[in-house]
Amino acid sequence: MRRSHRIVTLLAPVVALAWGCQALTDLTNPTPTPSPTPSPSATPISIPVVRPTPAPTPTPAPTPTPGPTPTPDPTPPPAPACSLPASNPSAPVCTDDPTQLLGYMETALTNATEAKPGLFDFNDKVCDNCYKVLNVAGYIQEVQRQLSVLGVCSNYDGEEMAVKNSNNFSEQIDILLASDHMRRGAGSYRGVCRPALF
């Protein structure tokens, strides 16, 4: 019995040593855990790359196309020279005797509106055919030209038009109102002078 007790006593330290070594081995070399294997049904995920959007190029504002420039009426030619010699009476006699030349003036005024419509505003009138005159100098010259075509001489003094078709007499006719509208009809006739004033 002593012998077996002695063997146990001798073997106990060896067993304890072996067991301690095994424990140390387990601590330093743990059993490897298998790494997870991706599932064959898993789809790879793509991460979108965000790129900055370039700033839009500004569109230049369109340049407005200018409308057609209105063509002004050419400067009317000077009134044609009178075919009658000048009359410079020393003592003319002026009266309000009835007119003989107003009909020529009315025709000349109508012809002026038709020949040079740009001289008038046909929407602005003070009587049926008394239109606003947009260019007074052009109006006077065109009326004088139209009178000349009819064989009537004229002279404008800045207030009234003197007209004659002989040197025996001339008539004074006012063809422009202060408002720059045409003046027409019997009210435009101012009188007659004998002999002709010009």
Side-chain angles (χ1 to χ4, degrees):
M1 184 83 182
R2 280 190 181 170
R3 192 168 186 210
S4 59
H5 179 64
R6 213 182 261 185
I7 290 173
V8 170
T9 304
L10 284 175
L11 284 176
V14 172
V15 170
L17 183 61
W19 186 77
C21 286
Q22 179 60 40
L24 282 174
T25 302
D26 288 344
L27 287 175
T28 57
N29 295 320
T31 304
T33 306
S35 61
T37 307
S39 165
S41 65
T43 305
I45 298 173
S46 63
I47 299 172
V49 177
V50 179
R51 292 188 174 96
T53 304
T57 305
T59 304
T63 304
T65 304
T69 304
T71 305
D73 284 336
T75 304
C82 181
S83 60
L84 298 172
S87 171
N88 297 305
S90 57
V93 176
C94 297
T95 67
D96 60 357
D97 289 347
T99 178
Q100 296 179 45
L101 300 177
L102 186 58
Y104 289 101
M105 180 60 80
E106 287 296 319
T107 300
L109 291 171
T110 298
N111 292 347
T113 62
E114 293 170 356
K116 299 286 184 176
L119 298 174
F120 307 94
D121 180 353
F122 295 108
N123 295 315
D124 185 352
K125 55 187 180 179
V126 293
C127 74
D128 285 343
N129 53 5
C130 302
Y131 308 112
K132 176 80 171 185
V133 176
L134 303 176
N135 178 336
V136 172
Y139 166 63
I140 297 300
Q141 288 181 346
E142 183 59 23
V143 171
Q144 288 184 295
R145 190 179 76 79
Q146 294 295 336
L147 284 168
S148 178
V149 169
L150 299 171
V152 177
C153 298
S154 61
N155 181 51
Y156 184 68
D157 64 6
E159 291 290 327
E160 297 174 351
M161 183 86 69
V163 293
K164 69 179 182 178
N165 60 1
S166 78
N167 275 337
N168 294 332
F169 71 97
S170 63
E171 295 182 0
Q172 296 295 118
I173 303 175
D174 185 359
I175 63 169
L176 187 68
L177 295 170
S179 62
D180 284 347
H181 287 84
M182 298 171 71
R183 184 171 187 176
R184 303 185 71 161
S188 65
Y189 174 67
R190 311 313 289 161
V192 59
C193 295
R194 293 181 174 89
L197 292 179
F198 67 100

